[in-house]
Amino acid sequence: MIKLVVFDLDNVIIDGEGIDEIGKLVNIEDQIAAITEQAMQGDIDFETSIKKRVGLLKGVATEDIKTLASEMPLMKGAEETVSTLKENGFDVAIISGSFDIIADTIKGKLDVDKIFTNSLVEEDGILTGEVTGPLVSGSKLDVLSSFIEEKGYTLDECVAIGDGANDISMIESAKYGIAFNAKPALKENADIIVETRDLTDVLNVIIHLNSENTEGDADVDKEVAVETEVVETTDVVVENQEEEQVADATEEVVEEIEETEELVEEAEEEAEEAEEVVEEETAEEEEAEPAEEIEEIEEVEEAEEAVEEEAAEEEATEDETEEEAEEAVEEEAAEEAEEVAEPAEEKPVKEAKPKKSKKKNALPEPDFDLADTIEGVRAQKDEREERIAKVAEEREAFNREAKEQRKIRDELNSELKENLAKAIEFRDQRNEINKQVEENKKARNKVNDEIKSLEWSSGKKDRVRIENEIKKIDKIIETRVLDIKKENQLVKNANDLRKELAEIKEDDKVKEEAAELKKQSEEYHAKVVELSEQAQEAHEQMLAYFRKTDEIRTAADEAHKLFIQARKNASAKHEEFKMILSEIHVINKKLGSSKNRKRRSEKSSGSSNNKKNREEKERAESIFDKFKNGKKLSTEELLLLQKYDIN
C-alpha cells in the first residue's frame, strides 16, 4: 500500500528551474542553463554542476531571490494534486537539489509535509557563491532512505516523481518511479512515463496504483490517537508565533482526516464482506432446512416400522423355519419391485426429481454383522433405537445452539453497521468544520497583512526606526564614560531625533481603519479557535464510534465461529444418525418375515387395493413436490410419505 509520495521541485512542483531564474537576476541565465542541461541529461554529476552554477551566483542579494521565489509559478495541477493526495491519506514530501530559500515559499503554498533541499551560503544578505546541504554530495535516495526510516515506512510504500538524471536513484528504488515530462536518461529507469505538464495526470496514476494495491483489504485493527492543540490568545492582532500555533492546530486536524480515511474505507469494505458472508450462510441454511425436515420424516418412519414389526413378531409362530423366512423375504422383494415399476411406467417425468433428491439424502451403507439368532437381532435393534434417540437429541441441541449464535451474530452485524454509519457521519461533520477553520484562518491572515501594510505606510516604520535610535543613544550615555564634547553631541543627536519624532503625526483616518481591521482580525481568530474545538469534539466522537465498531466486530466474529462449530457438530451428529438408521433398516428387514406374509395376504384381497395404493402413492408424490417448495406437512402427510418410502 502506498503511503508516501515524493516530488522533485524544479520543473515538477514549480514550472521552471529555480537556479536558472536566479541567474536571470544577474544576466547569467544562459551559462547556468547550459550547466543545468548537462546535469539533467546525465553528462556531468550533480555535485559538480551545482557547485559550478552556485559559484556564478556570487554577489546576488537574498532579498531579490525571496521576491523571485514568491513570484515563481506552480506547475499546472500542483495545488489540486498535493491537496487531494493529503486528503486521501498520503504523506507528501519534496526532495530537491534546489534551495530552501525557494522551497520554503512553496511549502507554505502547498502545505507539503516535508522538504529536503540545499542552502545557499550568505553573508550580510549577499550570496558567497558556496552551497551546503544533504544533496550536494549525497543522492536523493540517501535522503529518502533516511526519511522513510524515520517515518517507519519502506521503499515499497513510496512513489517518486522526477524529471532529470539526479532523480534516477530514488526513481529506481521506490515502489513506483514516475518520469514527469522527463529527460531520456530518467525515462529509461522509470516505471511510468507521464508526458504532459499537468500534475493531475500523475495524481490519477497514483490513485489508480493505490486502489490496485489495497483492493480486498478489509482489516480494521488500527487505533488513531490524536491530540489537537487549541490556540488561545488575548492579543487583538495575531502575530507570527500565534499564526504558527493556529496553523499547527489546523495541520493536526487535517492529518487526523488522512490517518482515519483508510480506517473508514477498510471498515466499509469489511462490513460489505460480512454482509456477503451472512447472505451466503443464510442461503446454505435455507438449503439445509428441507434436509432437517427429511430427518424428522426418517425418525417417524423408524418409529412406525418399529411398531409394525413388533406387531408382526407377535403374530409370527414360534415354529417358523428359516426356509419360510427366506421365501417370505424373496416374495416381498418381488412385490416391492412391481410397485416401483408401475409408477415409473405411468409417470416417468415425476420420478426423475425424487430420484435426485433421494440420491442426495441417501442413507449410507451399513457395515456390521447381524446376530445369528432372532433374539440377538432384536437386542441389536433395541440397542440402536436407544442410541439413535440419544444422537437425535444431541443433534437438535447443536442445531439450537447454531440458531442462537446466528441470531447473535446477525444482531451484532446490524449494530456494527449503525456504529460505522455514525462514525462516518462525525467524520464528515469534522471535515466540514475544518474547511471553515481554513477559510477563517485565511481571512484572518489577510486582514493581518492589511494591518501591517497600513501601519508601515502611515509612518510607523519611521517612528520605530527613530525610537530605536533614541534608545541606543540613551543607553550609550548611561553606560559609557564619555568626554564632555562627545556626550554633548550625543545629547544633541537624541534631541534632534525627538523633534523629528514629534513632527511625525499619525493619520486619524488610518488609525481608525487600522482599529477596524484589528477588530476583524480578532473576530476571525476567535472563530478559528471555536471551530477548532468543534472539530476536535467531532473527531473524538468519530474515534469513539470506530472503537465501538471494532469491539462489536470482534464479538460478531466470535459468534460466527461458534455458529460454524455448532453447524459442524450438528452435521456430524446427523451423519451418525443416518448410519444408525441404516443399520436399523437392515435389522427391520431381518425381522420382517411375518410382516411380509401379512402384506401378501392383503395384496390377495383384490385389485381394488392395488388401485388404492397407486392413488395414494401419486398423492404422496404430489405432497413431496409441495414439500420441496417449502410447504409444511401434517403428521398424516408425513406418514403417507413414509409409507411409500418417498424422501
Side-chain angles (χ1 to χ4, degrees), residues 73-95:
L74 294 171
M75 183 64 69
K76 181 180 179 182
E79 290 181 280
E80 179 183 349
T81 297
V82 173
S83 63
T84 303
L85 287 172
K86 290 178 69 63
E87 287 173 2
N88 281 274
F90 298 92
D91 281 346
V92 178
I94 292 175
I95 300 179

PDB file of all heavy atoms in Angstrom, residues 73-95:
ATOM      1  N   PRO A  73       5.830  30.497 -10.757  1.00  0.00           N
ATOM      2  CA  PRO A  73       4.547  29.800 -10.942  1.00  0.00           C
ATOM      3  C   PRO A  73       4.634  28.328 -10.564  1.00  0.00           C
ATOM      4  O   PRO A  73       5.658  27.672 -10.787  1.00  0.00           O
ATOM      5  CB  PRO A  73       4.280  29.962 -12.444  1.00  0.00           C
ATOM      6  CG  PRO A  73       5.648  30.047 -13.056  1.00  0.00           C
ATOM      7  CD  PRO A  73       6.508  30.772 -12.058  1.00  0.00           C
ATOM      8  N   LEU A  74       3.550  27.829  -9.992  1.00  0.00           N
ATOM      9  CA  LEU A  74       3.454  26.393  -9.729  1.00  0.00           C
ATOM     10  C   LEU A  74       3.143  25.649 -11.022  1.00  0.00           C
ATOM     11  O   LEU A  74       2.561  26.209 -11.955  1.00  0.00           O
ATOM     12  CB  LEU A  74       2.346  26.120  -8.714  1.00  0.00           C
ATOM     13  CG  LEU A  74       2.568  26.654  -7.293  1.00  0.00           C
ATOM     14  CD1 LEU A  74       1.296  26.488  -6.475  1.00  0.00           C
ATOM     15  CD2 LEU A  74       3.727  25.954  -6.617  1.00  0.00           C
ATOM     16  N   MET A  75       3.527  24.376 -11.067  1.00  0.00           N
ATOM     17  CA  MET A  75       3.170  23.531 -12.211  1.00  0.00           C
ATOM     18  C   MET A  75       1.651  23.376 -12.249  1.00  0.00           C
ATOM     19  O   MET A  75       0.995  23.337 -11.208  1.00  0.00           O
ATOM     20  CB  MET A  75       3.846  22.159 -12.093  1.00  0.00           C
ATOM     21  CG  MET A  75       3.597  21.226 -13.265  1.00  0.00           C
ATOM     22  SD  MET A  75       4.272  21.837 -14.832  1.00  0.00           S
ATOM     23  CE  MET A  75       6.053  21.685 -14.506  1.00  0.00           C
ATOM     24  N   LYS A  76       1.090  23.309 -13.427  1.00  0.00           N
ATOM     25  CA  LYS A  76      -0.350  23.125 -13.584  1.00  0.00           C
ATOM     26  C   LYS A  76      -0.804  21.874 -12.809  1.00  0.00           C
ATOM     27  O   LYS A  76      -0.225  20.811 -12.940  1.00  0.00           O
ATOM     28  CB  LYS A  76      -0.709  22.970 -15.058  1.00  0.00           C
ATOM     29  CG  LYS A  76      -2.203  22.801 -15.307  1.00  0.00           C
ATOM     30  CD  LYS A  76      -2.490  22.647 -16.789  1.00  0.00           C
ATOM     31  CE  LYS A  76      -3.990  22.449 -17.029  1.00  0.00           C
ATOM     32  NZ  LYS A  76      -4.307  22.236 -18.465  1.00  0.00           N
ATOM     33  N   GLY A  77      -1.841  22.045 -11.985  1.00  0.00           N
ATOM     34  CA  GLY A  77      -2.392  20.918 -11.226  1.00  0.00           C
ATOM     35  C   GLY A  77      -1.660  20.620  -9.931  1.00  0.00           C
ATOM     36  O   GLY A  77      -2.021  19.669  -9.226  1.00  0.00           O
ATOM     37  N   ALA A  78      -0.628  21.431  -9.577  1.00  0.00           N
ATOM     38  CA  ALA A  78       0.164  21.127  -8.376  1.00  0.00           C
ATOM     39  C   ALA A  78      -0.672  21.230  -7.104  1.00  0.00           C
ATOM     40  O   ALA A  78      -0.621  20.343  -6.240  1.00  0.00           O
ATOM     41  CB  ALA A  78       1.365  22.065  -8.295  1.00  0.00           C
ATOM     42  N   GLU A  79      -1.431  22.324  -6.958  1.00  0.00           N
ATOM     43  CA  GLU A  79      -2.228  22.506  -5.739  1.00  0.00           C
ATOM     44  C   GLU A  79      -3.269  21.403  -5.592  1.00  0.00           C
ATOM     45  O   GLU A  79      -3.433  20.823  -4.515  1.00  0.00           O
ATOM     46  CB  GLU A  79      -2.913  23.875  -5.770  1.00  0.00           C
ATOM     47  CG  GLU A  79      -1.934  25.036  -5.596  1.00  0.00           C
ATOM     48  CD  GLU A  79      -2.653  26.375  -5.615  1.00  0.00           C
ATOM     49  OE1 GLU A  79      -2.963  26.851  -6.712  1.00  0.00           O
ATOM     50  OE2 GLU A  79      -2.899  26.907  -4.531  1.00  0.00           O
ATOM     51  N   GLU A  80      -3.982  21.104  -6.679  1.00  0.00           N
ATOM     52  CA  GLU A  80      -5.015  20.061  -6.630  1.00  0.00           C
ATOM     53  C   GLU A  80      -4.413  18.701  -6.316  1.00  0.00           C
ATOM     54  O   GLU A  80      -4.951  17.926  -5.517  1.00  0.00           O
ATOM     55  CB  GLU A  80      -5.752  20.003  -7.961  1.00  0.00           C
ATOM     56  CG  GLU A  80      -6.837  18.923  -8.002  1.00  0.00           C
ATOM     57  CD  GLU A  80      -7.506  18.826  -9.367  1.00  0.00           C
ATOM     58  OE1 GLU A  80      -7.281  19.718 -10.201  1.00  0.00           O
ATOM     59  OE2 GLU A  80      -8.239  17.844  -9.591  1.00  0.00           O
ATOM     60  N   THR A  81      -3.256  18.423  -6.916  1.00  0.00           N
ATOM     61  CA  THR A  81      -2.618  17.113  -6.718  1.00  0.00           C
ATOM     62  C   THR A  81      -2.183  16.919  -5.269  1.00  0.00           C
ATOM     63  O   THR A  81      -2.481  15.892  -4.643  1.00  0.00           O
ATOM     64  CB  THR A  81      -1.406  16.971  -7.654  1.00  0.00           C
ATOM     65  OG1 THR A  81      -1.859  17.012  -9.011  1.00  0.00           O
ATOM     66  CG2 THR A  81      -0.665  15.662  -7.404  1.00  0.00           C
ATOM     67  N   VAL A  82      -1.488  17.905  -4.711  1.00  0.00           N
ATOM     68  CA  VAL A  82      -0.987  17.770  -3.336  1.00  0.00           C
ATOM     69  C   VAL A  82      -2.141  17.704  -2.342  1.00  0.00           C
ATOM     70  O   VAL A  82      -2.161  16.858  -1.437  1.00  0.00           O
ATOM     71  CB  VAL A  82      -0.036  18.930  -2.992  1.00  0.00           C
ATOM     72  CG1 VAL A  82       0.339  18.889  -1.507  1.00  0.00           C
ATOM     73  CG2 VAL A  82       1.218  18.857  -3.844  1.00  0.00           C
ATOM     74  N   SER A  83      -3.139  18.595  -2.502  1.00  0.00           N
ATOM     75  CA  SER A  83      -4.260  18.600  -1.553  1.00  0.00           C
ATOM     76  C   SER A  83      -5.054  17.301  -1.624  1.00  0.00           C
ATOM     77  O   SER A  83      -5.460  16.750  -0.599  1.00  0.00           O
ATOM     78  CB  SER A  83      -5.180  19.790  -1.830  1.00  0.00           C
ATOM     79  OG  SER A  83      -5.765  19.695  -3.122  1.00  0.00           O
ATOM     80  N   THR A  84      -5.270  16.761  -2.839  1.00  0.00           N
ATOM     81  CA  THR A  84      -6.015  15.506  -2.989  1.00  0.00           C
ATOM     82  C   THR A  84      -5.250  14.329  -2.389  1.00  0.00           C
ATOM     83  O   THR A  84      -5.832  13.456  -1.740  1.00  0.00           O
ATOM     84  CB  THR A  84      -6.328  15.226  -4.467  1.00  0.00           C
ATOM     85  OG1 THR A  84      -7.056  16.337  -5.011  1.00  0.00           O
ATOM     86  CG2 THR A  84      -7.147  13.958  -4.625  1.00  0.00           C
ATOM     87  N   LEU A  85      -3.938  14.306  -2.609  1.00  0.00           N
ATOM     88  CA  LEU A  85      -3.120  13.232  -2.032  1.00  0.00           C
ATOM     89  C   LEU A  85      -3.221  13.256  -0.504  1.00  0.00           C
ATOM     90  O   LEU A  85      -3.382  12.217   0.142  1.00  0.00           O
ATOM     91  CB  LEU A  85      -1.662  13.380  -2.468  1.00  0.00           C
ATOM     92  CG  LEU A  85      -1.345  13.022  -3.921  1.00  0.00           C
ATOM     93  CD1 LEU A  85       0.094  13.404  -4.256  1.00  0.00           C
ATOM     94  CD2 LEU A  85      -1.573  11.541  -4.199  1.00  0.00           C
ATOM     95  N   LYS A  86      -3.146  14.448   0.088  1.00  0.00           N
ATOM     96  CA  LYS A  86      -3.211  14.546   1.549  1.00  0.00           C
ATOM     97  C   LYS A  86      -4.597  14.177   2.064  1.00  0.00           C
ATOM     98  O   LYS A  86      -4.734  13.531   3.097  1.00  0.00           O
ATOM     99  CB  LYS A  86      -2.819  15.951   1.992  1.00  0.00           C
ATOM    100  CG  LYS A  86      -1.334  16.257   1.790  1.00  0.00           C
ATOM    101  CD  LYS A  86      -0.979  17.672   2.182  1.00  0.00           C
ATOM    102  CE  LYS A  86      -1.073  17.877   3.672  1.00  0.00           C
ATOM    103  NZ  LYS A  86      -0.125  17.047   4.433  1.00  0.00           N
ATOM    104  N   GLU A  87      -5.635  14.564   1.328  1.00  0.00           N
ATOM    105  CA  GLU A  87      -6.998  14.198   1.725  1.00  0.00           C
ATOM    106  C   GLU A  87      -7.200  12.687   1.693  1.00  0.00           C
ATOM    107  O   GLU A  87      -8.016  12.153   2.447  1.00  0.00           O
ATOM    108  CB  GLU A  87      -8.019  14.858   0.796  1.00  0.00           C
ATOM    109  CG  GLU A  87      -8.161  16.347   1.031  1.00  0.00           C
ATOM    110  CD  GLU A  87      -9.043  17.023  -0.014  1.00  0.00           C
ATOM    111  OE1 GLU A  87      -9.566  16.303  -0.897  1.00  0.00           O
ATOM    112  OE2 GLU A  87      -9.183  18.249   0.051  1.00  0.00           O
ATOM    113  N   ASN A  88      -6.467  11.996   0.816  1.00  0.00           N
ATOM    114  CA  ASN A  88      -6.587  10.543   0.702  1.00  0.00           C
ATOM    115  C   ASN A  88      -5.592   9.799   1.586  1.00  0.00           C
ATOM    116  O   ASN A  88      -5.402   8.590   1.428  1.00  0.00           O
ATOM    117  CB  ASN A  88      -6.408  10.112  -0.754  1.00  0.00           C
ATOM    118  CG  ASN A  88      -7.655  10.341  -1.579  1.00  0.00           C
ATOM    119  OD1 ASN A  88      -8.549   9.507  -1.633  1.00  0.00           O
ATOM    120  ND2 ASN A  88      -7.740  11.504  -2.213  1.00  0.00           N
ATOM    121  N   GLY A  89      -4.920  10.530   2.495  1.00  0.00           N
ATOM    122  CA  GLY A  89      -4.102   9.848   3.498  1.00  0.00           C
ATOM    123  C   GLY A  89      -2.641   9.681   3.164  1.00  0.00           C
ATOM    124  O   GLY A  89      -1.909   9.041   3.910  1.00  0.00           O
ATOM    125  N   PHE A  90      -2.151  10.254   2.046  1.00  0.00           N
ATOM    126  CA  PHE A  90      -0.743  10.121   1.694  1.00  0.00           C
ATOM    127  C   PHE A  90       0.088  11.188   2.409  1.00  0.00           C
ATOM    128  O   PHE A  90      -0.360  12.314   2.601  1.00  0.00           O
ATOM    129  CB  PHE A  90      -0.538  10.292   0.187  1.00  0.00           C
ATOM    130  CG  PHE A  90      -1.235   9.268  -0.663  1.00  0.00           C
ATOM    131  CD1 PHE A  90      -2.505   9.508  -1.154  1.00  0.00           C
ATOM    132  CD2 PHE A  90      -0.629   8.064  -0.978  1.00  0.00           C
ATOM    133  CE1 PHE A  90      -3.154   8.577  -1.933  1.00  0.00           C
ATOM    134  CE2 PHE A  90      -1.268   7.131  -1.761  1.00  0.00           C
ATOM    135  CZ  PHE A  90      -2.539   7.385  -2.237  1.00  0.00           C
ATOM    136  N   ASP A  91       1.322  10.852   2.790  1.00  0.00           N
ATOM    137  CA  ASP A  91       2.310  11.853   3.164  1.00  0.00           C
ATOM    138  C   ASP A  91       2.944  12.379   1.873  1.00  0.00           C
ATOM    139  O   ASP A  91       3.199  11.603   0.939  1.00  0.00           O
ATOM    140  CB  ASP A  91       3.396  11.251   4.059  1.00  0.00           C
ATOM    141  CG  ASP A  91       2.914  11.108   5.491  1.00  0.00           C
ATOM    142  OD1 ASP A  91       1.880  11.688   5.834  1.00  0.00           O
ATOM    143  OD2 ASP A  91       3.583  10.393   6.257  1.00  0.00           O
ATOM    144  N   VAL A  92       3.213  13.682   1.820  1.00  0.00           N
ATOM    145  CA  VAL A  92       3.781  14.294   0.617  1.00  0.00           C
ATOM    146  C   VAL A  92       5.077  15.002   0.996  1.00  0.00           C
ATOM    147  O   VAL A  92       5.098  15.814   1.926  1.00  0.00           O
ATOM    148  CB  VAL A  92       2.793  15.291  -0.023  1.00  0.00           C
ATOM    149  CG1 VAL A  92       3.425  15.944  -1.248  1.00  0.00           C
ATOM    150  CG2 VAL A  92       1.498  14.591  -0.408  1.00  0.00           C
ATOM    151  N   ALA A  93       6.148  14.680   0.272  1.00  0.00           N
ATOM    152  CA  ALA A  93       7.447  15.288   0.539  1.00  0.00           C
ATOM    153  C   ALA A  93       8.062  15.780  -0.767  1.00  0.00           C
ATOM    154  O   ALA A  93       7.694  15.336  -1.854  1.00  0.00           O
ATOM    155  CB  ALA A  93       8.382  14.289   1.228  1.00  0.00           C
ATOM    156  N   ILE A  94       9.026  16.722  -0.631  1.00  0.00           N
ATOM    157  CA  ILE A  94       9.798  17.216  -1.772  1.00  0.00           C
ATOM    158  C   ILE A  94      11.264  16.981  -1.468  1.00  0.00           C
ATOM    159  O   ILE A  94      11.756  17.363  -0.399  1.00  0.00           O
ATOM    160  CB  ILE A  94       9.534  18.713  -2.032  1.00  0.00           C
ATOM    161  CG1 ILE A  94       8.098  18.933  -2.515  1.00  0.00           C
ATOM    162  CG2 ILE A  94      10.524  19.268  -3.045  1.00  0.00           C
ATOM    163  CD1 ILE A  94       7.720  20.398  -2.677  1.00  0.00           C
ATOM    164  N   ILE A  95      11.963  16.326  -2.378  1.00  0.00           N
ATOM    165  CA  ILE A  95      13.411  16.132  -2.267  1.00  0.00           C
ATOM    166  C   ILE A  95      14.027  16.749  -3.515  1.00  0.00           C
ATOM    167  O   ILE A  95      13.805  16.273  -4.634  1.00  0.00           O
ATOM    168  CB  ILE A  95      13.784  14.645  -2.148  1.00  0.00           C
ATOM    169  CG1 ILE A  95      13.136  14.037  -0.900  1.00  0.00           C
ATOM    170  CG2 ILE A  95      15.295  14.476  -2.100  1.00  0.00           C
ATOM    171  CD1 ILE A  95      13.432  12.563  -0.710  1.00  0.00           C
TER     172      ILE A  95
END
